[in-house]
Amino acid sequence: MIVIHSAPVPTNFHTAKAAVIETVTPVDERTMDHLSQEVQELFEQQLKIDSLLALSRKLQTEFKEGLQLSPQCMLPSHNYTLPDGREHGTYLGLEVGGSTLRVALVDLDGRISSRQPLRIRRIVTSPIDSRVRDLRGLAFFDWIAGKIGEMLVEDREAHDYMQLKEPLPMGVAWSFPIDQTSIRSGNIIGMGKGFYCSTYKGHDLGELITQACQRLNLNIRLDAIVNDSSAAVLSRAYIDPSTRLAVILGTGINAAIRLPISSLHESKFGLREFPSTVISHVLVNTELSMFGKRTFPTTRWDGHLNAHHMMPDYQPMEYLLSGGYMGEIVRLIVIEAIETAGLFDGRIPPTLSAPYTLDTYTLAAIEADAYRSLSPSCQLFQKKYQLPLPPTPTEMHFIRQVILAVSRRSQGYFTAAIYALSSLLHEADDQGNLYNDLDHISIGCDGSVINKYPGYMENCQKLLDQLSRMDPEKRKRVVLESAGESAVLGAGVAVAMANASGSP
């Protein structure tokens, strides 16, 4: 056996890396069983509860440093209060995500007086595929405006709004880093995920979207910009006033948390003026994807993915556990198995040779396959990747074991991150009264992976319960709750709050 020892972990916040520890069987001796065993060992080495608790504590240290040092993480929003549930009205909600654009009309009817206080009247979804991500410059924002216009034309009531003298108020849930300068403006920090319009880094997002809408003569007024995770907090808080934390896990990962202003270094707020001296808390966009580089152990496949990424090291947590990258990690292991362990008789299917051709949908279908023979998975894999013959049961069982290892690690790392955030919430509560009347902390969860990947949320909840029981600090129980369509709903809530407060 060949053992590759890791170097000592450096301490610099921005450049430090976690240990890469690997035990490798020489290629000339390798079988699929050898490789499968190695994958299990590497991906499960940190998934015991005591190890996850240790990872969580390391992440807490990273989070605290981010609150003080990093200009890209732990960004204070311009949301200083949460909705009181009395906001009313109809608003346009726009979600710009890593893989999807959603445009919706959102109705707020009040928390107390309505059985359905927050609802979507109409929503139109458009995929953000490689063609859209490849749009250069203003073309991407023109595409967004075009989709808004299409939805408004198709909906009679929305069309009637557009005929009024007063513009239709719109809120935007933006799934990428942004340096907000007001509730309705903010400079783009970066986008990643293959977007070429990232060249507009430093430009005001509000102006870019507003000008694109004006070019199409859309009678719209952009009144609020929120991060997708902040939108999740707002949408959940409109219904459940105890909400202080929400997480998004789909193509990417992010979270927002309400913290005391005193938790953040004053430089985080720049030259902004606070609207009131009585304000004590702020909703913080954590940019969770950017953490974990010096905390989470990685494998050689993670290293390959990162080294060949167009933005290496930019979002280390996201590369390890999000839906946008789980499939690629599995694909890299499968390719190695083909080249060194005899999988598919050593022949790489042409449709599997390109990066990112193994998607999370395929992973989920194979993991959920309950047949001992895995015949549905064999048929799916043969059809999707145009194999001359279906994989043998042995080959499919190997692939499924790889998928299970990758998804279990994703769940473990995700749980460690969420537990670290909930612990930070406890420690940072300098008022000491946010949760005195609660026996648990509820976390709103949105995103295709956390809500739809088979067993994902349930497994994470079990891990969270075990962490709570083992933690000597005896934290309150953390409960994950689904919060579907939270981005467009939260964008609508943000507009209602901005209009009610008269935010500049």
Side-chain angles (χ1 to χ4, degrees), residues 129 185 198 304 450 452 487 504:
D129 53 22
S185 63
S198 292
H304 182 280
I450 187 66
K452 296 181 180 179

Side-chain angles (χ1 to χ4, degrees), residues 29 31 42 73 90 105 185 189 224 256 259 285 335 344 346 388 421-422 430 436 446 481:
E29 300 175 10
T31 66
L42 292 175
C73 305
T90 297
L105 277 178
S185 63
I189 294 177
L259 293 173
N285 167 21
I335 293 298
F344 301 151
L421 283 175
S422 66
D430 54 3
N436 286 348
D446 199 3
E481 295 185 351

Side-chain angles (χ1 to χ4, degrees), residues 27-299:
V27 171
D28 58 357
E29 300 175 10
R30 175 164 298 176
T31 66
M32 279 191 287
D33 286 341
H34 283 131
L35 184 54
S36 179
Q37 181 180 359
E38 181 191 359
V39 169
Q40 302 305 312
E41 292 173 354
L42 292 175
F43 281 82
E44 295 178 5
Q45 62 179 326
Q46 294 292 325
L47 299 188
K48 293 181 179 179
I49 297 304
D50 56 345
S51 297
L52 289 179
L53 193 57
L55 291 177
S56 180
R57 288 168 178 157
K58 289 182 180 179
L59 283 173
Q60 288 180 56
T61 300
E62 284 197 42
F63 294 159
K64 292 175 182 178
E65 292 173 356
L67 286 167
Q68 301 299 315
L69 302 175
S70 175
Q72 291 185 306
C73 305
M74 296 297 185
L75 307 174
S77 71
H78 283 255
N79 299 101
Y80 303 104
T81 59
L82 294 176
D84 59 19
R86 293 179 294 180
E87 296 85 356
H88 282 73
T90 297
Y91 306 96
L92 186 64
L94 176 70
E95 175 194 3
V96 186
S99 59
T100 307
L101 175 77
R102 292 184 177 88
V103 186
L105 277 178
V106 177
D107 287 336
L108 281 71
D109 294 329
R111 182 192 301 152
I112 298 176
S113 60
S114 174
R115 291 184 178 179
Q116 193 174 7
L118 186 60
R119 64 186 178 92
I120 294 174
R121 179 183 301 179
R122 177 177 173 81
I123 186 168
V124 175
T125 300
S126 302
I128 298 179
D129 53 22
S130 58
R131 178 189 61 83
V132 176
R133 288 191 292 270
D134 286 344
L135 292 174
R136 308 300 173 105
L138 295 175
F140 176 70
F141 300 97
D142 288 336
W143 177 80
I144 291 175
K147 293 299 179 182
I148 295 172
E150 290 175 12
M151 194 277 275
L152 294 176
V153 169
E154 293 172 3
D155 188 275
R156 174 180 291 274
E157 191 160 355
H159 183 72
D160 291 342
Y161 273 105
M162 298 301 291
Q163 308 307 309
L164 301 175
K165 291 183 179 180
E166 286 295 319
L168 179 62
M170 178 174 72
V172 176
W174 184 254
S175 303
F176 310 96
I178 182 174
D179 178 20
Q180 282 205 252
T181 52
S182 75
I183 190 62
R184 55 177 54 86
S185 63
N187 300 320
I188 297 174
I189 294 177
M191 294 180 70
K193 300 184 180 72
F195 284 84
Y196 279 95
C197 65
S198 292
T199 53
Y200 273 79
K201 179 178 179 180
H203 288 245
D204 186 273
L205 175 64
E207 290 185 2
L208 290 170
I209 294 178
T210 297
Q211 291 168 2
C213 291
Q214 290 174 344
R215 286 192 287 272
L216 294 182
N217 297 315
L218 300 178
N219 188 25
I220 292 171
R221 184 183 69 242
L222 199 161
D223 281 348
I225 297 174
V226 291
N227 187 268
D228 57 347
S229 56
S230 298
V233 174
L234 295 177
S235 67
R236 285 290 305 170
Y238 187 81
I239 300 169
D240 178 1
S242 67
T243 304
R244 299 293 184 275
L245 173 61
V247 63
I248 309 293
L249 179 59
T251 303
I253 183 172
N254 198 12
I257 183 171
R258 188 170 184 254
L259 293 173
I261 289 175
S262 58
S263 300
L264 291 88
H265 192 273
E266 60 183 13
S267 63
K268 292 273 187 175
F269 297 93
L271 301 177
R272 77 170 71 175
E273 295 182 2
F274 293 100
S276 171
T277 56
V278 299
I279 287 176
S280 60
H281 288 71
V282 64
L283 195 56
V284 177
N285 167 21
T286 65
E287 289 303 337
L288 188 60
S289 66
M290 295 182 175
F291 289 96
K293 187 170 183 61
R294 77 168 191 254
T295 295
F296 290 131
T298 59
T299 69

Side-chain angles (χ1 to χ4, degrees), residues 363-383:
L363 269 57
I366 295 173
E367 181 161 338
D369 190 344
Y371 285 85
R372 180 175 296 182
S373 65
L374 297 179
S375 55
S377 296
C378 292
Q379 295 170 15
L380 171 66
F381 210 86
Q382 180 188 20
K383 181 179 180 180

Side-chain angles (χ1 to χ4, degrees), residues 413-426:
Y413 284 6
F414 172 80
T415 301
I418 294 307
Y419 195 76
L421 283 175
S422 66
S423 299
L424 184 69
L425 190 63
H426 279 289

